[in-house]
């Protein structure tokens, strides 16, 4: 007889302090319990207690998310997450024609020809193409341009005067400008890009608007890549156009790659860099430490990346193409597996006092950019942008502070990436 999942009402649904007794609570005889994960919106940078509970008591658990069908496994422990992210028996391509339980009413990226849904060797080819725009040389070319952009934006903020909203003056326009410089997006198309990216990455409240934004972004990028085939340039659109012309990738793949870089660059960096500044301004001892030792900035950015719960829920799952075992749990062929990089970054077996923000933690192998074949190709750019924004703010404004009490801040709701709606500061 095949065992059936059993829903556990109220167990680990995100409510801190709900009773939980580990593996015994997960299994009832031969039946595996299912934990309903409701994906609540949390205030500020509060860590999801659902993930904390699983990490401590049931690091490989069966869950159900608000959308889609069926159930999935969720891994939360550092070593298990690494295995699930790199094991070739877990496939993203196998997800293309599957409906699985999900935190979004529809896929954020088109599944066909998308980088996020590819497996090696096709994934290796696609990553190899886009990596040509993320070399050390290209980052050295972009950095002074990015620094000039940050200086110009903060000059404008100073003319506005305090208090000022850093989301409007820096965290919004700066990542957009940098990623558009990387892509080669014309100036007259840039103003709309941030709003499109925000809508795409906030699908739950407005799924129809999100789909419309995806179509609009696709039209812009198809036109841009088409122009680069006739007018080659030293930017990402030019790299993609050359690879398309050479038969390395298809047009759909070129557009998918450009969309992934644009949306993550304009939206994810926007929100996570703001989270970093908020975290520093609400941890005065850590802020003082960084001011006293500016050379700690790269290390500080990595600790902020590790500590900040930068997203709601989890990303894209994988499908088991054969039976395997993770963390002592049998995963059967055809089952979906999610991995929580956020939880892995709080694993006490890897990070001492993991819930503490500690800029002196030292070098670390956090998983904020993923692991394995799908490790974020834009991680070098994201780090550079964060270093420029934080470093420039601290250098220019010795008295930088929140202009409102922390509990008066408003935070975005219903999005995949967490962040403040506004970040009012004085200096």
């Amino acid at each position: 007889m095949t065992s059936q999942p059993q829903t556990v009402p109220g167990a680990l649904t995100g409510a801190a302090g709900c009773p939980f007794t580990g593996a015994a609570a997960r299994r009832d005889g031969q039946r595996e319990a299912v934990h309903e994960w409701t994906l609540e919106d949390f205030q500020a940078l509060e860590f999801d207690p659902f993930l904390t509970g699983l990490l401590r008591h049931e690091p490989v658990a069966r869950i159900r998310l608000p959308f889609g069908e069926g159930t999935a496994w969720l891994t939360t422990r550092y070593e298990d997450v690494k295995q699930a992210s790199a094991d070739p028996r877990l496939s993203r391509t196998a997800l293309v024609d599957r409906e699985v339980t999900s935190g979004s009413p529809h896929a954020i990226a088109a599944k066909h020809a998308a980088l996020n849904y590819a497996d090696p060797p096709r994934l290796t080819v696609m990553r190899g193409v886009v990596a040509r725009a993320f070399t050390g040389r290209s980052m050295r070319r972009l950095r002074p341009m990015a620094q000039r952009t940050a200086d110009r934006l903060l000059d404008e903020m100073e003319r506005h005067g305090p208090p000022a909203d850093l989301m409007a003056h820096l965290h919004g326009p700066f990542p957009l400008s940098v990623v558009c410089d990387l892509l080669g997006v014309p100036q007259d198309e840039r103003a709309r890009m941030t709003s499109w990216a925000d809508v795409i990455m906030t699908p739950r409240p407005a799924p129809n608007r999100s789909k419309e934004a995806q179509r609009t972004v696709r039209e812009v990028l198809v036109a841009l890549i088409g122009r680069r085939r006739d007018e080659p340039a030293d930017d990402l659109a030019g790299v993609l156009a050359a690879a398309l012309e050479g038969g390395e990738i298809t047009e759909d793949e070129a557009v998918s790659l450009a969309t992934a870089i644009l949306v993550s660059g304009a939206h994810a960096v926007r929100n996570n860099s703001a989270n970093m500044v908020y975290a520093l301004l609400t941890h005065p001892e850590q802020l003082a430490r960084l001011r006293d030792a500016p050379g700690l900035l790269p290390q500080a950015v990595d600790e902020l990346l590790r500590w900040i719960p930068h997203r709601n829920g989890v990303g894209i799952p994988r499908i088991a193409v054969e039976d395997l075992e993770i963390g002592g749990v049998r995963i059967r062929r055809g089952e979906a597996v999610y991995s929580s990089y956020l939880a892995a970054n709080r694993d006490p077996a890897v990070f001492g006092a993991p819930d503490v923000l500690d800029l002196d933690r030292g070098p670390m192998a956090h998983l904020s950019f993923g692991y394995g074949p799908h490790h974020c190709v834009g991680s070098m750019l994201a780090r550079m942008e964060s270093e420029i924004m934080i470093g420039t703010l601290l250098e220019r404004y010795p008295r930088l502070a929140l202009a409102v009490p922390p509990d008066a801040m408003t935070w975005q709701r219903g999005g995949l990436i967490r962040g403040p709606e506004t970040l009012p500061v004085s200096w």
Side-chain angles (χ1 to χ4, degrees), residues 78 303 306-307 344-364:
Y78 186 90
E303 170 65 355
R306 181 202 70 83
W307 183 81
N345 282 341
R346 299 288 184 107
D347 188 341
V350 179
F351 306 101
D355 297 328
V356 175
L357 178 65
D358 180 6
L359 303 190
D360 285 302
R361 191 176 294 276
M364 73 198 77

Side-chain angles (χ1 to χ4, degrees), residues 226-240:
R227 285 198 298 272
R228 286 295 180 266
R229 296 178 74 173
D230 299 326
E231 305 169 7
D234 185 21
D235 52 35
L236 178 56
V239 168
L240 296 175

Side-chain angles (χ1 to χ4, degrees), residues 30 81 94 135 205 396:
Q30 297 299 310
V81 167
T135 62
R396 289 180 65 143

Side-chain angles (χ1 to χ4, degrees), residues 6-237:
Q6 176 190 30
T7 299
V8 178
L12 279 179
T13 57
C18 68
F20 189 60
T21 56
R26 181 166 58 85
R27 296 188 182 277
D28 175 17
Q30 297 299 310
R31 292 187 294 175
E32 294 162 344
V34 178
H35 300 294
E36 304 284 350
W37 192 6
T38 55
L39 300 184
E40 301 171 22
D41 283 309
F42 293 97
Q43 183 68 12
L45 300 181
E46 179 186 357
F47 197 82
D48 189 340
F50 177 86
L51 291 176
T52 301
L54 290 186
L55 175 62
R56 293 175 180 171
H57 303 292
E58 192 180 346
V60 183
R62 196 182 285 275
I63 63 165
R64 182 180 290 113
L65 292 161
F67 300 97
E69 298 178 356
T71 64
W73 293 102
L74 173 64
T75 65
T76 50
R77 195 163 46 192
Y78 186 90
E79 291 300 330
D80 296 339
V81 167
K82 285 177 66 177
Q83 179 190 342
S85 301
D87 195 316
R89 295 171 294 181
L90 290 170
S91 166
R92 284 278 182 83
T93 300
L95 184 65
V96 169
D97 296 317
R98 286 282 303 275
E99 176 82 8
V100 300
T101 187
S102 172
S104 171
H106 63 85
I108 298 303
K111 289 186 176 183
H112 294 277
L115 178 73
N116 286 333
Y117 292 90
D119 292 332
R122 191 66 206 150
L123 173 64
T124 308
V125 172
M126 295 169 71
R127 285 178 61 91
V129 169
V130 77
R132 295 169 196 166
F134 287 98
T135 62
R137 178 183 176 184
S138 64
M139 291 302 101
R140 288 190 295 273
R141 178 181 64 86
L142 277 174
R143 189 168 194 123
M145 297 169 59
Q147 184 63 63
R148 288 193 295 271
T149 297
D151 292 338
R152 173 179 55 80
L153 291 170
L154 292 177
D155 288 344
E156 293 173 1
M157 186 177 79
E158 289 182 16
R159 286 192 289 272
H160 173 278
D165 177 14
L166 278 180
M167 298 301 289
H169 287 281
L170 181 66
H171 297 293
F174 177 80
L176 175 65
S177 179
V178 173
V179 78
C180 285
D181 285 340
L182 176 75
L183 269 166
V185 177
Q187 289 290 339
D188 59 354
E189 293 285 359
R190 296 187 181 196
R192 294 180 292 171
M193 286 293 186
T194 293
S195 60
W196 291 337
D198 290 347
V199 170
I200 289 171
M201 296 298 285
T202 312
R204 293 178 69 180
N208 292 333
R209 288 185 60 214
S210 180
K211 290 180 180 179
E212 180 61 32
Q214 290 179 36
R215 286 191 292 269
T216 304
V217 168
R218 176 182 171 80
E219 292 170 3
V220 171
L221 293 175
V222 166
L224 174 61
I225 294 168
R227 285 198 298 272
R228 286 295 180 266
R229 296 178 74 173
D230 299 326
E231 305 169 7
D234 185 21
D235 52 35
L236 178 56

